[in-house]
């Protein structure tokens, strides 16, 4: 079940490959995510010191009054990946123009997972092509629906 989705990720980045990662969270963050609160907009993944990190993701506490006073909703969260996957992501990160973007947060067997997309940023003309393609498909679907 999808908890959060980064709506701009597939629009702005041409995703070539995806990875599934666990995420290290506090209990009150997990409760908040299960209520589908938070946002992945503007967040990204970085690899530093042999570990992968999710930065700039907004995950509020479940009950703000019970959260620690120094809690930061935009804190950097560690991602749980195998060492070879982290090495692959580090290699992608070193390439020029490649983005590591979180696509969605979801439940998998009682655990919260993060889907990470690896891809290149789209130019404005690529985005226009996608819009044209989507509009043409929508028009074809409409005419087919009206004929039957």
């Amino acid at each position: 079940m999808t908890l959060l989705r980064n709506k701009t990720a597939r629009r702005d980045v041409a995703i070539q490959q995806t990875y599934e990662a666990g995420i290290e969270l506090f209990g009150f963050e997990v409760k908040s995510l299960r209520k589908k609160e938070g946002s992945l907009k503007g967040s990204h993944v970085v690899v530093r010191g042999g570990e992968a990190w999710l930065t700039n993701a907004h995950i509020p506490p479940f009950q703000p009054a019970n959260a620690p006073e120094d809690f930061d909703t935009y804190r950097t969260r560690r991602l749980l990946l195998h060492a070879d996957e982290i090495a692959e992501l580090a290699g992608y990160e070193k390439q020029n123009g490649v983005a590591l973007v979180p696509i969605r947060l979801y439940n998998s067997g009682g655990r919260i997972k993060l889907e990470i997309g690896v891809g290149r940023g789209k130019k404005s003309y690529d985005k226009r092509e996608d819009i044209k393609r989507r509009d043409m498909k929508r028009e074809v679907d409409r005419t087919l629906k009206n004929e039957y």
Side-chain angles (χ1 to χ4, degrees):
M1 176 177 75
T2 300
L3 303 173
L4 294 179
R5 184 175 297 280
N6 189 350
K7 295 177 183 177
T8 61
R10 293 202 187 268
R11 184 189 71 203
D12 295 339
V13 179
I15 304 294
Q16 298 163 347
Q17 189 173 358
T18 60
Y19 290 89
E20 179 184 71
I23 183 168
E24 196 175 84
L25 297 168
F26 293 129
F28 52 84
E29 290 175 319
V30 173
K31 288 180 180 181
S32 178
L33 286 174
R34 290 203 173 129
K35 280 180 42 181
K36 298 185 179 185
E37 293 180 358
S39 173
L40 292 175
K41 186 176 180 180
S43 61
H44 57 280
V45 176
V46 294
V47 179
R48 299 288 180 265
E51 292 183 338
W53 301 89
L54 174 66
T55 60
N56 207 29
H58 176 71
I59 302 175
F62 178 64
Q63 295 174 327
N66 292 341
E69 289 182 21
D70 61 341
F71 177 71
D72 179 18
T73 58
Y74 287 97
R75 73 182 181 90
T76 302
R77 294 162 177 94
R78 186 166 62 146
L79 299 178
L80 308 172
L81 290 158
H82 291 284
D84 57 332
E85 291 175 325
I86 292 174
E88 285 179 33
L89 288 176
Y92 285 125
E93 190 178 39
K94 288 179 184 173
Q95 294 178 13
N96 204 11
V98 175
L100 304 176
V101 225
I103 299 173
R104 66 185 180 119
L105 268 167
Y106 59 96
N107 258 344
S108 176
R111 307 226 186 262
I112 300 213
K113 302 286 185 176
L114 176 71
E115 185 178 4
I116 303 168
V118 177
R120 296 197 178 273
K122 289 183 183 177
K123 304 285 186 203
S124 60
Y125 54 82
D126 292 333
K127 293 178 190 179
R128 283 194 295 268
E129 280 296 318
D130 288 346
I131 292 169
K132 283 181 194 175
R133 202 174 303 121
R134 187 175 59 232
D135 288 346
M136 286 173 36
K137 182 182 181 317
R138 188 179 297 139
E139 196 63 37
V140 167
D141 289 345
R142 267 193 209 128
T143 56
L144 289 176
K145 183 179 178 184
N146 290 337
E147 288 180 9
Y148 293 108

